[in-house]
Amino acid sequence: MTKPSLPDLLHAAVTAVGGTERPGQVAMAEAVAEAIDDNSHRLIQAGTGTGKSLGYLVPALAHGERVVVATATLALQRQLVERDLPRTVEALHPQLRRRPQFAMLKGRSNYLCLHRLHEGAPQDEEEGLFDQFEAATATSKLGKDLLRLRDWSDETETGDRDDLTPGVSDKAWAQISVSSRECLGATKCAYGAECFAEAARERAKLADVVVTNHALLAIDAIQGAPVLPPHEVLIVDEAHELVSRVTGVATGELTPGQVNRAVKRSAKLVNEKIADSLQTAAETFERVMELALPGRLEVVPDDLGYALLALRDASRNVISAIGGTRDKSVQDEDAVRKQALAAVEGIHSVAERITLGSEYDVVWYERHDRFGATLRVAPLSVSGLLREKLFEERSVVLTSATLKLGGDFNGVAASMGLSPEGVEGEDVPVWKGLDVGSPFDYPKQGILYVAKHLATPGREGTRGDMVDELAELIEAAGGRTLGLFSSMRGAKAAAEELRERLEHPILLQGEETLGELIKAFAADPKTCLFGTLSLWQGVDVPGPSCQLVIMDRIPFPRPDDPLMSARQKSVEERGGNGFMAVAATHAALLMAQGAGRLVRATGDRGVVAVLDPRLATARYGSFVRATLPDFWYTTDRNQVRRSLAAIDATAKADGK
C-alpha cells in the first residue's frame, strides 16, 4: 500500500476540524516531519492563527512511533485531548488504516487517591485534625467539598481533578490526593488495582500520543524519575514557558512550618533521642528564619549554615530510623511511614543541597507578611540540564507564537542549552529554526502606539500622566480594553481611579474567577478588564470586545529579584550583556505574549498601547519592538485616538 502523503493527511485533518489550510501550517508540518525522519531538532515560531496544533499532530500521528506532546497550560492540553486529537484521528483513519491511540498524563497529585479517600490522611493528634468525612459538617465549605468528592469518586472514570466541575478548594483536594513520595505504590496499596493515577500511566504506555505538561516533562527528564513512557519524539508547545517551568521544578524551599510538620509526622516512628534531635534542629532553624531579611545569600551566613547542617544530619537519622520501623500499633502504618518519610526527605534534600553549596545554585530568603520567611534554592541556569536530559535521546520540536526574541532564535536557544543556529560542536545538539509567520496582516490589522510624551516610570508611586492617558484611550476606544499591568498594585490603583472617572465598567483580576472575568469581558464591548501576569498570556477574546490592549510599562523583572539578578550578573562575568540577555529578553517575551492578545482572528482590528516611553527612546527599545507582531508603529497620540474612534464607530455600525 502506498504511504499517504503529508499534504493529503493535513488536508483531511484541517477539513475535519472545519479549519482553513494555511501556508504556514503546511510549512510547519513539513518541518516537523523532517525533524522526526532525520532525528534532529527544530525551533518553530508559528504565529496566532497558524493552526500549529494540527501542524505538529498530523506528522506525529503519521510517524507511527510514540510521541510525547508537552504544553504549559491546561487549556491547550484539554483542547488537544478533547477536540483536536479525536477529530484528527478519525480524519486520518481512512488513509492511515489505523486509529492511533492518545492519552493525557499528569503528576500523581492531580488524581484522586482512593486510599486517602477511604482510609483518610495519616494525621497527628497534636495537630488536632479530625476524620474529615465524619467530622466535617455538611454546612462548612470544606465539608461540602469533601462530600462532593466522595460522590464524584463513584462517578468519575479518570479521577482527574480537572474533570471535576465546579472545582473544589486546594485544602479539600489535599485531603484526598498524594504526592509521588507519599504514594504507597500499587502493589502495597489495597486500592492499587483501581488507582486512577496508575490507570492513567497504563493508558499512556499504550498510547501513540501522550499529552502532558512541562512540569511532568521536567520531573521525568531532570529528576531521573521515569514517569513518561519511552518515546522517540518530543513536541514542546508553548515552548517559551519551558525554561520557567523547569526552573520551578528544580527549585527547593524550606519553611519553619514545613519542618515542624515533618517533626510531628515522624515523632511516633523513631526513638525519643532521634526525634528530639530533629525537634532541636527545627527550633534552631525557626529562630534563624524569624530574623531573615529578603534577598540573595551569596554566602550562606554561619547561623543559617549551622541550622541547616543540624537539619540535614537529624533528618538523615530520622530517615534511617523510619526505614526500619514496623509498629503495628500505629493504624495504617505504611501510609503513616510514607507521609513522614516524604516530609523528612524533602527537608533533607534541600538542607543538603544548600550546605553542600554549588556555584550553579542561587540561594535567597523571601518574606511574606502572612506566612513569614521562606528559604529558596534554584539553579542559576537550566540550560545544561536541558541540553543533557532533553535533546540527547530523542528528536525535539519546540514551538510557540513567541520564540524569536529581537529578531532571531538564538536567545531562546541559549536558554535551553543550544548553540547559536548553524554553529556545530562536540556534544552540541544540532537544530534549525523556522518562522512560519502568521495568516494575519499585522500592519493593516493593528497599530503599536508608544506614549513617548509620558514621564519615564519610576519604581513606586501612581503615575498621574499615565492614568490620564489611559482614560483618554479607553474613551476613544469606547471601552473594549484589556489592561495589562506589571503589578497587581498598579492594576488596582488604575481600576479604582478610573471607576470614578469613566462610565465604562472595569473588571479587575482577583474580584472573580479568571474564567468568569473573561466571559464577562467578551460579552460586553463597553467593558474593560485589568489585571496582571496571567492575563498577559491567558486571554483569547477575538472580535470587538478587545480592540485596545494597554501595557502600563515594560515588564522588566524587579531589580531585587534574586534569581534574575544572579543570572544577569553571571552573564556579565562571562563578558556578555546581562541586561539584554536576561532582563530585556524576559520583558520582550512577556510583551510579545501581551501584544498577541489583540489580533485573534482575520477580522480583528485594534491598537496595542505601551504607556512607557522607553520603548521608543531607550537603546533596547528596538530589540523589544522587533519581538512584537509587526504592527504599524506610531508615537502620534492624536493619530491613535482618531484610529481608535474609527474602529469603535465601525464596530457600533455593525451592531457590536
Side-chain angles (χ1 to χ4, degrees):
M1 186 183 77
T2 306
K3 184 179 179 182
S5 72
L6 185 62
D8 288 346
L9 292 172
L10 187 60
H11 178 74
V14 170
T15 303
V17 300
T20 304
E21 203 167 290
R22 298 186 169 114
Q25 187 182 53
V26 175
M28 179 177 183
E30 290 172 346
V32 173
E34 183 181 277
I36 292 173
D37 288 342
D38 61 19
N39 197 33
S40 59
H41 310 302
R42 295 289 184 278
L43 270 65
I44 303 175
Q45 177 162 292
T48 307
T50 302
K52 62 182 167 63
S53 297
L54 290 187
Y56 59 70
L57 286 179
V58 171
L61 290 166
H63 172 55
E65 303 288 345
R66 183 180 288 117
V67 175
V68 167
V69 178
T71 78
T73 62
L74 172 64
L76 182 53
Q77 288 169 50
R78 294 188 80 96
Q79 176 190 314
L80 290 172
V81 172
E82 295 175 8
R83 192 182 75 186
D84 294 347
L85 275 164
R87 293 180 184 179
T88 306
V89 165
E90 285 306 309
L92 302 188
H93 169 245
Q95 295 185 60
L96 293 179
R97 303 291 180 91
R98 57 186 172 85
R99 280 191 175 85
Q101 302 294 304
F102 55 89
M104 188 175 332
L105 186 61
K106 304 176 184 179
R108 190 171 290 275
S109 61
N110 290 280
Y111 300 97
L112 183 148
C113 171
L114 291 170
H115 186 278
R116 275 280 173 93
L117 183 82
H118 295 298
E119 309 298 335
Q123 291 161 349
D124 306 300
E125 290 175 10
E126 296 93 322
E127 291 179 307
L129 295 175
F130 46 77
D131 180 291
Q132 61 266 41
F133 291 106
E134 292 182 5
T137 67
T139 56
S140 73
K141 176 69 169 69
L142 178 61
K144 287 178 179 177
D145 281 350
L146 291 170
L147 291 171
R148 274 192 61 225
L149 285 166
R150 187 166 61 183
D151 292 341
W152 178 68
S153 71
D154 294 329
E155 304 164 6
T156 178
E157 294 182 6
T158 64
D160 184 338
R161 181 179 183 178
D162 295 315
D163 290 342
L164 175 65
T165 306
V168 296
S169 67
D170 288 347
K171 187 175 182 181
W173 186 259
Q175 299 293 318
I176 52 86
S177 66
V178 296
S179 67
S180 56
R181 275 183 166 173
E182 293 172 316
C183 175
L184 295 174
T187 57
K188 293 183 178 179
C189 179
Y191 303 92
E194 309 160 70
C195 177
F196 292 117
E198 291 297 321
R201 287 196 179 194
E202 289 304 313
R203 287 193 295 272
K205 287 178 185 176
L206 300 172
D208 300 277
V209 176
V210 179
V211 178
T212 189
N213 54 52
H214 290 180
L216 199 64
L217 173 66
I219 291 167
D220 182 81
I222 291 170
Q223 295 187 352
V227 287
L228 295 172
H231 51 282
E232 294 74 23
V233 180
L234 170 64
I235 297 169
V236 182
D237 203 342
E238 302 173 311
H240 62 278
E241 282 283 311
L242 183 63
V243 167
S244 172
R245 301 299 170 99
V246 171
T247 299
V249 168
T251 297
E253 70 173 40
L254 275 179
T255 67
Q258 174 191 356
V259 175
N260 288 330
R261 282 192 297 275
V263 170
K264 288 179 179 178
R265 286 173 179 168
S266 60
K268 292 179 182 177
L269 302 173
V270 297
N271 66 46
E272 190 175 337
K273 182 179 178 182
I274 293 175
D276 286 348
S277 174
L278 185 58
Q279 176 71 51
T280 302
E283 290 169 356
T284 304
F285 177 67
E286 188 164 9
R287 284 196 297 273
V288 171
M289 295 296 281
E290 284 172 357
L291 303 173
L293 297 175
R296 184 183 176 190
L297 303 173
E298 296 202 40
V299 176
V300 175
D302 288 345
D303 58 349
L304 176 62
Y306 293 138
L308 290 173
L309 280 169
L311 272 182
R312 182 197 68 181
D313 295 344
S315 58
R316 183 173 56 215
N317 291 337
V318 170
I319 291 166
S320 299
I322 291 178
T325 299
R326 285 291 182 273
D327 184 355
K328 297 304 178 185
S329 68
V330 178
Q331 185 181 13
D332 200 7
E333 189 250 0
D334 275 343
V336 172
R337 287 176 62 251
K338 266 290 190 177
Q339 181 165 293
L341 267 176
V344 181
E345 284 171 350
I347 306 301
H348 179 267
S349 172
V350 177
E352 183 171 57
R353 179 174 171 184
I354 297 175
T355 53
L356 284 174
S358 167
E359 61 181 307
Y360 302 112
D361 269 342
V362 180
V363 181
W364 73 97
Y365 285 129
E366 284 180 11
R367 182 168 282 283
H368 190 282
D369 290 342
R370 182 177 170 191
F371 302 113
T374 300
L375 179 65
R376 295 189 189 277
V377 55
L380 185 60
S381 167
V382 295
S383 58
L385 286 169
L386 288 171
R387 180 174 61 244
E388 178 187 350
K389 304 292 187 180
L390 213 62
F391 294 97
E392 284 195 353
E393 296 180 1
R394 59 186 68 80
S395 173
V396 181
V397 173
L398 300 145
T399 185
S400 166
T402 312
L403 285 182
K404 290 174 74 173
L405 303 181
D408 63 49
F409 290 102
N410 289 332
V412 167
S415 71
M416 296 180 184
L418 302 173
S419 294
E421 189 171 12
V423 175
E424 296 186 25
E426 191 176 344
D427 297 328
V428 177
V430 177
W431 62 278
K432 294 179 184 176
L434 174 67
D435 182 357
V436 301
S438 168
F440 303 142
D441 189 346
Y442 285 123
K444 290 184 178 178
Q445 288 185 250
I447 297 170
L448 172 63
Y449 164 60
V450 180
K452 189 177 177 182
H453 62 283
L454 295 180
T456 300
R459 283 195 61 187
E460 306 295 340
T462 304
R463 298 163 57 202
D465 60 344
M466 186 275 287
V467 177
D468 292 341
E469 180 83 7
L470 183 53
E472 291 176 21
L473 291 169
I474 290 172
E475 289 277 32
R480 312 177 191 276
T481 301
L482 176 65
L484 304 177
F485 291 79
S486 56
S487 71
M488 202 61 231
R489 181 167 55 180
K492 284 180 180 176
E496 287 170 5
E497 183 160 346
L498 293 178
R499 281 169 173 167
E500 301 270 330
R501 293 167 56 169
L502 303 178
E503 294 183 0
H504 299 285
I506 296 177
L507 307 173
L508 180 63
Q509 186 179 359
E511 292 183 348
E512 182 51 85
T513 65
L514 193 54
E516 289 300 316
L517 287 172
I518 293 172
K519 192 186 297 183
F521 176 55
D524 181 7
K526 295 178 184 176
T527 299
C528 305
L529 172 58
F530 288 5
T532 184
L533 198 59
S534 57
L535 291 189
W536 289 66
Q537 304 180 73
V539 177
D540 185 5
V541 179
S545 288
C546 184
Q547 294 187 328
L548 173 60
V549 174
I550 290 180
M551 303 184 210
D552 69 329
R553 62 195 294 161
I554 299 173
F556 293 120
R558 288 178 61 92
D560 57 359
D561 181 301
L563 187 55
M564 288 294 195
S565 57
R567 287 176 170 176
Q568 194 164 313
K569 183 179 178 182
S570 174
V571 172
E572 289 162 0
E573 287 171 348
R574 298 195 307 271
N577 185 325
F579 173 78
M580 291 302 294
V582 179
T585 294
H586 171 88
L589 186 61
L590 262 182
M591 291 188 77
Q593 288 290 309
R597 303 309 99 200
L598 181 70
V599 176
R600 310 297 295 176
T602 52
D604 287 352
R605 301 285 186 277
V607 172
V608 171
V610 180
L611 309 186
D612 186 335
R614 294 175 295 179
L615 190 62
T617 59
R619 289 171 61 187
Y620 53 77
S622 58
F623 169 84
V624 177
R625 292 200 307 273
T627 305
L628 305 182
D630 187 24
F631 296 129
W632 188 75
Y633 172 61
T634 184
T635 58
D636 186 333
R637 59 194 301 200
N638 295 319
Q639 172 64 54
V640 87
R641 282 158 178 71
R642 289 194 296 270
S643 297
L644 281 169
I647 293 167
D648 178 43
T650 301
K652 286 176 178 172
D654 292 339
K656 298 174 181 176

